[in-house]
Amino acid sequence: MAPRRHLGPTPALMGLEALEEAGVTRCCVPSGDCLRAQQALNDNDHVLICLDDLRDTVRVTCNNDGCHSGRYMHRECFDQWEQTVLAYLKTCGRARSWSERQRHQNLWTKKGYDLAYKACACKCGRGHLKKDLDWMPPPPTSRIFGRLEDMDASKKKKRKSKPQRPSLSINTNGHGMGSEIRARAGSLSCSSTGSSSPPSSGSEPSVSPIHGHCKRKNKMELNERIRIGGGANGIFTRRLDFSSFNALPKNKLNSYQIKTEDEGNHGNDDTRCFILSTLASQGRSKVQCVLCEEQLLVFDRYPLVDGTFFLSPRQHAKSCIEVKVEGRTQFLTVVCMGCLEGVNGRGIACRFCNQKWDGSSLVLGTMYSYDIFAAMPCCTERIKCNSCYKPVLHPAQRLNFFSDYSHMVPCPHCRTLDTHFVKPLGFCYSRQMARALHVAWP
């Protein structure tokens, strides 16, 4: 009889260092058991995280230097745990007045984490966990896919057919080095196959993070950016990289500050379809910033623009596009990233209280369903009736939601029904623009 093979300790009994030497690690979710462990029971191959393929994981850091509980969670485990932390944040101090979106955006930044860290206790018992916003999943190693290619042939193939994936990169001193910031696994692929939303790509092959069978593009084609075929007459630009966001602070290069993926299945996102179909019907592949009048390219996937769209009941400029939303007339408007961030002297300030308008907290590349200028009244003049010029609200009163400031409300004095909080930009703001108004930013 053949000698019995020694199997060694099971993964459940192995230490973290031993597991990592074997190329795997455990999910370090602190609240309860790993979801995959509950589903898979004894299937350790399914439960353990393979260090050669971290695309479906989230990295966290513990402030205990001696922590040995692990650094990675399955995405579904992290999402469930994050909900418990958000529920705790909802009960904390100033976060009680935040909207759900604000809590989600601020949770892993200093603004929110300082309030919620007590709910982030690590399994080690001596530290607290925090999501690593600067981490990106490295590309899977070749052994995951069973490739047995010769090293020299592999290098040549990479040089010839390197996938042209969009990436959020930070250029360092003019060199091509950078770090790609990903929203979620697979969210930054060039296109989604099977998408029926406009514009759908009929001639441009999708780019998979695994198989990089993209045709080689010459430098001129890359500089001009690839025009997509198919839906919407192919007028929108295919974004090849995220270098235009390099000027943002490093802590904003994440999926909470920059919209990078569809909300719907297979790319059928209602917001994206609405914007692209509206612009396609008018033959517009570019839009104009309502503040500095800079021309902005519109892209076929998120982030849709280097700035943000919003809907307003008032036409702030001739470039704003009239649309019908739920039977109401609205105007599709855009503000560029430079004006939102107030860089190089760009920006606007209230004519009455001289407070500068700040749009740096808004998510880039998507659309807000309300007037973003009306949503943050800074003084009494901003809340006065458009007819009798008396305050519609008490100066200390605030409405529950940002969108409420864009709705029709009756004046308590003259009973006039109007969007009283949406003022003409020239009436309530003065420009603080740079000398060279139309110079590209940065």
Side-chain angles (χ1 to χ4, degrees):
M1 185 174 70
R4 179 174 296 176
R5 182 182 176 185
H6 177 64
L7 297 177
T10 63
L13 300 177
M14 295 174 65
L16 185 66
E17 292 183 0
L19 284 173
E20 291 184 349
E21 287 181 2
V24 294
T25 188
R26 295 191 192 95
C27 178
C28 66
V29 60
S31 56
D33 295 329
C34 168
L35 292 179
R36 294 194 183 183
Q38 297 173 10
Q39 298 168 359
L41 296 179
N42 295 323
D43 185 4
N44 290 313
D45 291 338
H46 180 69
V47 173
L48 295 176
I49 295 173
C50 179
L51 295 176
D52 290 323
D53 186 5
L54 297 171
R55 290 170 299 162
D56 198 27
T57 61
V58 176
R59 180 170 174 170
V60 293
T61 58
C62 179
N63 56 8
N64 172 23
D65 294 335
C67 176
H68 295 288
S69 297
R71 297 169 294 168
Y72 302 99
M73 295 186 204
H74 296 112
R75 181 160 298 281
E76 61 266 35
C77 298
F78 175 83
D79 289 343
Q80 186 182 74
W81 173 66
E82 186 181 48
Q83 289 303 314
T84 65
V85 182
L86 285 169
Y88 176 82
L89 180 62
K90 192 174 183 179
T91 66
C92 298
R94 61 179 180 273
R96 296 173 186 168
S97 61
W98 293 349
S99 66
E100 290 296 329
R101 178 181 287 273
Q102 286 176 311
R103 279 191 285 270
H104 204 276
Q105 290 176 351
N106 296 334
L107 176 57
W108 302 116
T109 65
K110 180 176 176 59
K111 189 175 182 179
Y113 186 74
D114 286 348
L115 299 174
Y117 77 95
K118 291 183 179 179
C120 302
C122 179
K123 273 186 175 180
C124 70
R126 297 183 178 181
H128 296 86
L129 296 177
K130 184 178 181 181
K131 182 179 181 181
D132 188 349
L133 297 178
D134 296 329
W135 178 76
M136 66 170 184
T141 60
S142 59
R143 61 180 172 177
I144 289 295
F145 310 109
R147 295 176 184 169
L148 299 175
E149 300 171 344
D150 180 75
M151 288 297 292
D152 293 336
S154 177
K155 290 180 180 179
K156 291 179 181 179
K157 184 176 180 180
K158 287 180 181 179
R159 285 197 296 266
K160 290 182 179 180
S161 60
K162 185 177 180 181
Q164 300 296 331
R165 291 183 296 171
S167 61
L168 283 172
S169 60
I170 304 172
N171 292 332
T172 310
N173 298 327
H175 297 286
M177 299 178 62
S179 62
E180 180 181 347
I181 309 300
R182 292 202 181 173
R184 284 173 277 275
S187 65
L188 296 186
S189 59
C190 288
S191 63
S192 301
T193 58
S195 172
S196 60
S197 59
S200 60
S201 178
S203 59
E204 189 71 15
S206 62
V207 179
S208 165
I210 298 175
H211 305 288
H213 303 303
C214 293
K215 294 182 179 180
R216 186 179 182 182
K217 309 295 188 298
N218 58 42
K219 292 183 179 180
M220 182 177 296
E221 288 175 328
L222 291 177
N223 291 334
E224 292 178 353
R225 307 185 184 188
I226 302 171
R227 297 288 177 175
I228 62 171
N233 297 324
I235 67 172
F236 299 111
T237 302
R238 171 64 49 85
R239 190 189 289 272
L240 296 180
D241 58 57
F242 290 87
S243 59
S244 59
F245 297 103
N246 286 346
L248 291 173
K250 188 177 179 181
N251 65 336
K252 289 190 177 183
L253 294 177
N254 58 67
S255 61
Y256 299 119
Q257 296 294 137
I258 304 172
K259 177 75 171 176
T260 54
E261 67 175 3
D262 287 336
E263 299 292 344
N265 295 326
H266 306 294
N268 296 322
D269 185 282
D270 291 340
T271 300
R272 182 172 67 86
C273 291
F274 169 77
I275 293 173
L276 296 184
S277 60
T278 298
L279 295 175
S281 66
Q282 300 208 5
R284 296 196 187 188
S285 61
K286 295 182 179 180
V287 289
Q288 193 176 66
C289 174
V290 72
L291 295 182
C292 68
E293 300 180 357
E294 179 181 345
Q295 292 286 334
L296 305 173
L297 280 171
V298 178
F299 298 91
D300 66 311
R301 293 291 186 268
Y302 287 118
L304 297 176
V305 70
D306 294 346
T308 194
F309 289 97
F310 69 92
L311 293 175
S312 173
R314 181 182 293 275
Q315 188 175 22
H316 290 301
K318 292 181 179 180
S319 60
C320 302
I321 303 170
E322 182 177 341
V323 293
K324 286 287 185 180
V325 180
E326 297 179 352
R328 293 186 302 162
T329 299
Q330 301 281 307
F331 294 91
L332 183 63
T333 314
V334 67
V335 181
C336 73
M337 185 167 59
C339 291
L340 290 171
E341 297 289 330
V343 299
N344 296 335
R346 297 192 183 196
I348 53 176
C350 178
R351 290 184 180 273
F352 309 104
C353 67
N354 204 36
Q355 179 174 326
K356 187 177 179 180
W357 181 81
D358 182 14
S360 61
S361 62
L362 298 175
V363 180
L364 298 173
T366 185
M367 184 188 77
Y368 287 84
S369 60
Y370 55 83
D371 191 304
I372 59 178
F373 298 107
M376 295 175 277
C378 53
C379 61
T380 307
E381 295 294 328
R382 300 291 307 281
I383 58 175
K384 287 185 176 181
C385 171
N386 290 335
S387 180
C388 68
Y389 304 106
K390 294 180 180 180
V392 177
L393 300 175
H394 186 276
Q397 183 182 355
R398 287 294 179 266
L399 300 179
N400 293 329
F401 303 101
F402 291 138
S403 58
D404 289 343
Y405 290 95
S406 295
H407 293 165
M408 300 275 286
V409 293
C411 172
H413 306 285
C414 66
R415 302 298 178 185
T416 300
L417 184 66
D418 196 1
T419 52
H420 295 291
F421 308 114
V422 183
K423 310 289 187 186
L425 295 182
F427 170 76
C428 52
Y429 289 115
S430 59
R431 293 177 182 269
Q432 294 181 338
M433 308 304 293
R435 293 179 182 177
L437 186 64
H438 298 291
V439 173
W441 179 80

